Amino acid sequence: DAGVIQSPRHEVTEMGQEVTLRCKPISGHDYLFWYRQTMMRGLELLIYFNNNVPIDDSGMPEDRFSAKMPNASFSTLKIQPSEPRDSAVYFCASSQINEQFFGPGTRLTVL
Amino acid sequence: AQSVTQLDSQVPVFEEAPVELRCNYSSSVSVYLFWYVQYPNQGLQLLLKYLSGSTLVKGINGFEAEFNKSQTSFHLRKPSVHISDTAEYFCAVSVSGGYNKLIFGAGTRLAVHP
């Protein structure tokens, strides 16, 4: 298996632009998690899905952030409009039983 | 609610010396415990996990951890570290039957010096 796939690996955008991050979980995993990692706040859970249904989005910082999982093999995290304080590394992880497998992350820079 | 405390934000150590990274958790229900490692500019990778059974758990790269229920601890150890072990280490807990959600500690940066 190729593991969790995230794209793009790096994204540089200007404040106010829409940003879409993508994730392909490991086949057969029925949980998908989105995290954000910054120096100041560490690793934060933003939202997670079970069988494509959002279970807990209490970590989503504000309405500018939205996440979808239209099918078992694809999820997106969208930020609109983006702000400089959104600059971070965003990780996607998937899980079947207990252990979470992390993707390589998307490094987002908002200028 | 569950929480995880990693007692040291940074641990410097010389190559070939032993190391212990400390982790304490709080939970009123049974938990699963994990240690993840993050190398620079990479995602998190599982080192080892405790689900049940033997309290001494062996993982990859020569690491091991011991679950101590009475002290609510899950400290990570390695008898002899290498330069390549320099990384950020995260302790995490999940509640059994709790949607596989992990609660992560703040991380410990292990710096191995020659």
Side-chain angles (χ1 to χ4, degrees), chain A residues 9 30-31 33 35 37 39 43 45 48 50 55-56 91 95-104 107, chain B residues 32 34 36 38 41-46 49 51 88 90 94 96 98-102 104-106 109:
Chain A
R9 293 293 310 276
D30 50 6
Y31 289 92
F33 304 81
Y35 292 89
Q37 186 177 40
M39 290 292 291
L43 193 63
L45 176 63
Y48 69 99
N50 179 221
I55 300 300
D56 183 354
F91 290 103
S95 171
Q96 185 180 41
I97 301 175
N98 301 313
E99 176 184 349
Q100 290 186 20
F101 293 81
F102 282 75
R107 182 174 297 275
Chain B
Y32 301 139
F34 305 80
Y36 281 82
Q38 184 180 29
N41 300 313
Q42 295 187 27
L44 279 70
Q45 177 184 0
L46 183 71
K49 59 186 176 184
L51 303 180
E88 187 94 17
F90 293 92
S94 73
S96 57
Y99 283 118
N100 291 6
K101 177 180 174 179
L102 291 177
F104 282 91
R109 183 169 298 277

Side-chain angles (χ1 to χ4, degrees), chain A residues 65-106:
Chain A
F65 286 70
S66 62
K68 294 182 179 180
M69 191 164 186
N71 57 62
S73 60
F74 183 66
S75 177
T76 60
L77 178 67
K78 184 179 294 187
I79 308 172
Q80 180 184 23
S82 58
E83 297 183 1
R85 58 193 170 115
D86 302 331
S87 296
V89 181
Y90 291 81
F91 290 103
C92 176
S94 71
S95 171
Q96 185 180 41
I97 301 175
N98 301 313
E99 176 184 349
Q100 290 186 20
F101 293 81
F102 282 75
T106 295

Side-chain angles (χ1 to χ4, degrees), chain B residues 8-55:
Chain B
D8 306 295
S9 60
Q10 296 187 60
V11 174
V13 64
F14 286 109
E15 192 173 19
E16 298 184 5
V19 71
E20 177 180 83
L21 306 184
R22 297 180 292 170
C23 173
N24 286 89
Y25 69 93
S26 64
S27 176
S28 58
V29 298
S30 61
V31 297
Y32 301 139
L33 295 158
F34 305 80
W35 275 99
Y36 281 82
V37 60
Q38 184 180 29
Y39 298 105
N41 300 313
Q42 295 187 27
L44 279 70
Q45 177 184 0
L46 183 71
L47 267 181
L48 48 80
K49 59 186 176 184
Y50 171 79
L51 303 180
S52 64
S54 173
T55 57

Side-chain angles (χ1 to χ4, degrees), chain B residues 49-95:
Chain B
K49 59 186 176 184
Y50 171 79
L51 303 180
S52 64
S54 173
T55 57
L56 183 61
V57 180
K58 294 189 183 297
I60 62 172
N61 301 339
F63 284 93
E64 64 181 31
E66 185 157 19
F67 170 57
N68 188 318
K69 187 174 182 179
S70 63
Q71 298 187 6
T72 60
S73 67
F74 191 55
H75 301 333
L76 181 70
R77 301 185 184 98
K78 186 170 182 177
S80 176
V81 295
H82 303 285
I83 296 289
S84 60
D85 293 322
T86 294
E88 187 94 17
Y89 292 79
F90 293 92
C91 182
V93 61
S94 73
V95 175

